[in-house]
Amino acid sequence: MSFISDWRRVAAVSLSFWMQVAGLLVLILPEIWFALTGQDYDPVFTWWTGVLLLLAGLIGRLWKQGVSSFLEWLRIVGVLVVCALLALLFTAQAKAGPVSEAETLRIAVPFIAKEEGKRNKAYADIVGVPTICYGSTRGVRLGMVMTDAQCLALLRDEVAEYREGLHGYFSQATRSSRLTAKRDTAYTSTAFNCGIRAIGRSTATRRLNAGDIRGGCTALTWWNKAGGRVIRGLVNRRAREKALCLAGLK
């Protein structure tokens, strides 16, 4: 086995050669970047781009190679641009819309209900705040009593309110492509427990908005203190929220 006689020219200006090189790089480099940094990328776009470039390389084998190096490279660049535009088109068609409130609430309400626990009669929480039902504190006075149905309705309304408030801190890219219903639940649950403003301005949210999904989920676990002390129950809850946040992330 030996190289073809004009391998130097093929390596320099061959359309089919460079399309296949570019296709392999597009498929491999994002995976290496994700392994090194934990930053997410759009797998649909990279998959389509890689496949189209490899296909262009195969088709390029049937084309007569140009005489001018300039024209050959012009053709290579043109095919790269066309492949990228086609990949964007196919990616846009493949993308699902942003996760809906209803999808999140189906997971978030029972999840938060289990985490918070229910007490129908108002009580003072670990730091002395009057609390009722599933951790509700707004307008609560010691001695208040609510039914199970009232507690569930109150929880659903409050979870929706916390979710909406927290989404004000998310970037458009985060809301449209980085939130699954489970990840949305994890952030909403932490905000429900720690406050919208606190989680909205936290490292967890900044990382998510920057595309570092795994890092953002990990940062949720830092919210494990109450009254300045690490609380075992909060450590365990944050671990469950992190697991929910990472669900489905490759």
Side-chain angles (χ1 to χ4, degrees):
M1 185 174 66
S2 60
F3 287 113
I4 59 176
S5 59
D6 61 342
W7 67 268
R8 289 184 178 85
R9 184 180 184 282
V10 170
V13 297
S14 171
L15 172 70
S16 60
F17 176 80
W18 284 107
M19 288 304 100
Q20 292 179 69
V21 169
L24 289 173
L25 289 176
V26 166
L27 293 175
I28 294 172
L29 290 181
E31 296 293 339
I32 296 175
W33 174 255
F34 182 75
L36 293 175
T37 68
Q39 292 186 354
D40 199 18
Y41 65 98
D42 189 337
V44 179
F45 173 73
T46 54
W47 186 88
W48 272 114
T49 304
V51 168
L52 288 169
L53 288 171
L54 292 173
L55 181 61
L58 293 175
I59 295 174
R61 294 291 298 171
L62 304 178
W63 282 3
K64 184 177 181 180
Q65 303 300 301
V67 177
S68 166
S69 296
F70 172 77
L71 292 177
E72 195 68 25
W73 270 107
L74 191 63
R75 182 166 65 172
I76 291 171
V77 172
V79 174
L80 284 170
V81 171
V82 170
C83 288
L85 291 176
L86 286 173
L88 284 173
L89 176 63
F90 296 148
T91 301
Q93 293 176 344
K95 282 184 179 294
V99 62
S100 69
E101 178 184 273
E103 290 175 291
T104 296
L105 292 184
R106 276 196 293 270
I107 299 173
V109 172
F111 179 85
I112 294 174
K114 184 177 180 180
E115 293 294 336
E116 294 288 344
K118 176 174 64 66
R119 293 175 64 173
N120 297 77
K121 185 174 182 179
Y123 63 97
D125 70 3
I126 194 170
V127 292
V129 178
T131 308
I132 197 170
C133 293
Y134 299 100
S136 299
T137 59
R138 186 185 305 164
V140 177
R141 302 181 306 278
L142 294 178
M144 288 179 61
V145 176
M146 300 185 75
T147 66
D148 289 347
Q150 289 174 321
C151 284
L152 189 60
L154 178 61
L155 176 64
R156 183 177 180 84
D157 290 344
E158 290 191 345
V159 171
E161 181 181 330
Y162 272 80
R163 176 185 181 273
E164 182 179 358
L166 185 60
H167 274 223
Y169 291 90
F170 290 152
S171 66
Q172 178 59 39
T174 291
R175 292 193 298 271
S176 63
S177 63
R178 297 183 184 127
L179 288 178
T180 62
K182 290 183 177 180
R183 189 166 301 127
D184 199 14
T185 291
Y187 272 81
T188 300
S189 175
T190 310
F192 189 87
N193 188 226
C194 303
I196 295 172
R197 181 181 174 86
I199 302 305
R201 301 182 66 180
S202 69
T203 299
T205 296
R206 288 197 299 273
R207 286 181 175 181
L208 182 63
N209 285 338
D212 183 5
I213 297 176
R214 191 176 300 277
C217 295
T218 298
L220 290 178
T221 65
W222 300 349
W223 293 85
N224 58 9
K225 298 180 180 66
R229 297 184 295 116
V230 174
I231 306 299
R232 180 175 296 181
L234 292 180
V235 172
N236 294 336
R237 174 170 179 169
R238 296 291 95 85
R240 289 188 288 270
E241 288 165 346
K242 177 186 177 182
L244 197 65
C245 188
L246 291 173
L249 184 64
K250 297 181 180 179

